């Protein structure tokens, strides 16, 4: 059934997804509060109720139509009827309808009606934080969700949802931002020699998933470089401020990235189990390659998580060593001053030279009245300090050994 000619919706075969741990994502306080308020507003609502998040961007519509010989692109923002007419007039072409932005409920509802999308699907699209998944419908159409990632200038993992719907001769995608990681795919479609244009439209859905997976590697490479910088900073003479906070933050990002890759791997594994009439064997070959990419990305995430755990232990160990060095210096200084404090404390006692009857007291610190008593005591103190320093040096306590 071509959804462009009918507004009926097929019931989805929805499989329950594991619940996300609340508050696990390292997002900003503003985004966290906005997400919390949005969830509170949806509590108790009828399933399939569409809610546009406050601040959502105005939708921009892009259409790419192609076949083996031709390719045309255009933006149809505020011209949805023209886009729909173009699709109906060119059933011989394969089409990619790219919707960027959710800020127009009326347009979203029209898309849902014209393309035969189920309200529960659109609810997942607009909620915009779904796990990577796949759902199969009675007419063998597919609904897939992927998470696009990027390592931002703020040294955080950022991710956006890419929702993909397949049809007889089209692929419909939704995303909430104008920028994405799919430009390489657009370049491939424009190329005359591209094999993508010779495959059925279902291949485009695979290509979208594959580009998202491939983009995990630059993200992981950026994370790896940052981890190396943190490791070098640990041993630097002058550490950056809040170094431990940076280590813990990148640890959260790696854990978050790992939580994104796991569902992507499971989604592709589920695709490989689909029957032949839904997913042809010729396409499963490509998904097996994508599955390998997901496994590699997951292995990298696991490796980086272990590296960061080691990095935290290394930081604490180095911090302890530095503290030990400080304590060693302070202990040496204290040890040097202990005998000196004894000497000056001893000679700081007040004794009379004569008793109350005027008799001379020879044992009441007679050196106090010697003309060379002060230089003599200073010399004794200097000799004590020199002896201690020599002893500490022979023990290796004054060196970095």
């Amino acid at each position: 059934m071509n959804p462009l000619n009918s507004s009926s919706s097929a019931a989805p075969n929805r499989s329950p997804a594991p619940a996300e741990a609340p508050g696990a994502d390292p997002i900003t306080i503003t985004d966290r509060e906005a997400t919390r308020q949005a969830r509170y507003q949806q509590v108790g609502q009828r399933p399939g109720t569409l809610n546009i998040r406050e601040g959502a961007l105005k939708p921009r519509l892009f259409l790419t139509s192609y076949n083996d010989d031709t390719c045309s692109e255009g933006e149809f923002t505020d011209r949805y009827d023209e886009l729909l007419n173009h699709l109906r007039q060119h059933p011989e072409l394969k089409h990619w309808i790219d919707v960027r932005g959710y800020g127009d409920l009326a347009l979203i509802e029209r898309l849902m009606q014209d393309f035969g999308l189920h309200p529960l699907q659109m609810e997942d699209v607009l909620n915009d934080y779904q796990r990577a998944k796949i759902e199969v419908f009675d007419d063998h159409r597919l609904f897939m969700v992927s998470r696009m990632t990027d390592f931002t200038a703020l040294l955080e993992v950022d991710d956006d949802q890419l929702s993909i719907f397949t049809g007889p001769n089209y692929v419909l995608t939704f995303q909430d931002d104008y920028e994405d990681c799919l430009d390489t795919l657009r370049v491939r479609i424009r190329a005359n020699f591209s094999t993508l244009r010779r495959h059925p439209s279902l291949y485009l859905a695979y290509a979208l998933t594959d580009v998202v997976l491939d983009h995990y590697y630059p993200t992981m490479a950026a994370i790896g470089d940052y981890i190396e910088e943190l490791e070098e900073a640990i041993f630097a003479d002058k550490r950056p401020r809040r170094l431990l906070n940076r280590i813990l933050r990148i640890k959260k990002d790696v854990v978050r990235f790992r939580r994104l890759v796991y569902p992507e791997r499971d989604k592709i594994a589920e695709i490989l189990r689909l029957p032949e009439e839904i997913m042809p064997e010729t396409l499963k070959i490509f998904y097996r390659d994508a599955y390998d990419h997901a496994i590699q990305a997951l292995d990298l995430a696991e490796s980086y998580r272990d590296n960061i755990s080691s990095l935290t232990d290394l930081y604490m160990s180095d911090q302890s060593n530095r503290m030990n060095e400080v304590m060693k210096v302070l202990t040496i200084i204290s040890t040097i001053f202990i005998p000196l404090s004894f000497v000056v404390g001893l000679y700081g006692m007040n004794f009379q030279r004569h008793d109350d009857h005027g008799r001379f007291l020879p044992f009441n610190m007679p050196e106090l009245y010697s003309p060379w008593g002060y230089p003599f005591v200073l010399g004794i103190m200097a000799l004590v300090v020199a002896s201690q320093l020599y002893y500490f040096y022979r023990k290796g306590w004054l060196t970095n050994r």
Side-chain angles (χ1 to χ4, degrees), residues 56-64 73-75 77 96-104 107-108 111 148 161-162 172-183 186 190:
L57 299 176
K58 176 185 176 181
R60 296 180 64 184
L61 303 178
F62 297 88
L63 176 63
T64 302
E73 298 178 79
E75 181 173 355
T77 303
W96 176 15
I97 307 100
D98 188 12
V99 182
R100 307 183 205 173
Y102 303 149
D104 188 341
L107 177 61
I108 296 297
L111 284 164
M148 300 182 291
Q161 178 172 315
L162 177 66
L172 173 63
T173 60
F174 290 89
Q175 52 184 309
D176 69 336
D177 201 354
Y178 295 153
E179 302 296 329
D180 56 31
C181 61
L182 306 177
D183 286 339
R186 297 183 180 98
R190 297 185 193 114

Side-chain angles (χ1 to χ4, degrees), residues 354-370:
H354 300 85
D355 61 10
D356 295 340
H357 302 287
R359 288 179 297 183
F360 178 73
L361 302 175
F363 296 105
N364 281 357
M365 305 183 79
E367 59 271 18
L368 289 177
Y369 309 104
S370 171

Side-chain angles (χ1 to χ4, degrees), residues 296-313:
Q296 293 171 8
L298 193 57
D299 289 342
L300 278 175
E302 294 282 359
S303 174
Y304 286 155
R305 188 183 65 164
D306 294 340
N307 289 346
I308 295 175
S309 297
S310 301
L311 206 62
T312 305
D313 296 338

Side-chain angles (χ1 to χ4, degrees), residues 264-281:
E264 193 72 35
R265 182 199 64 176
D266 295 341
K267 180 190 77 174
I268 298 175
E270 188 173 349
I271 291 175
L272 293 175
R273 291 192 295 267
L274 293 176
E276 176 75 17
E277 58 271 16
I278 298 176
M279 183 61 60
E281 192 64 33

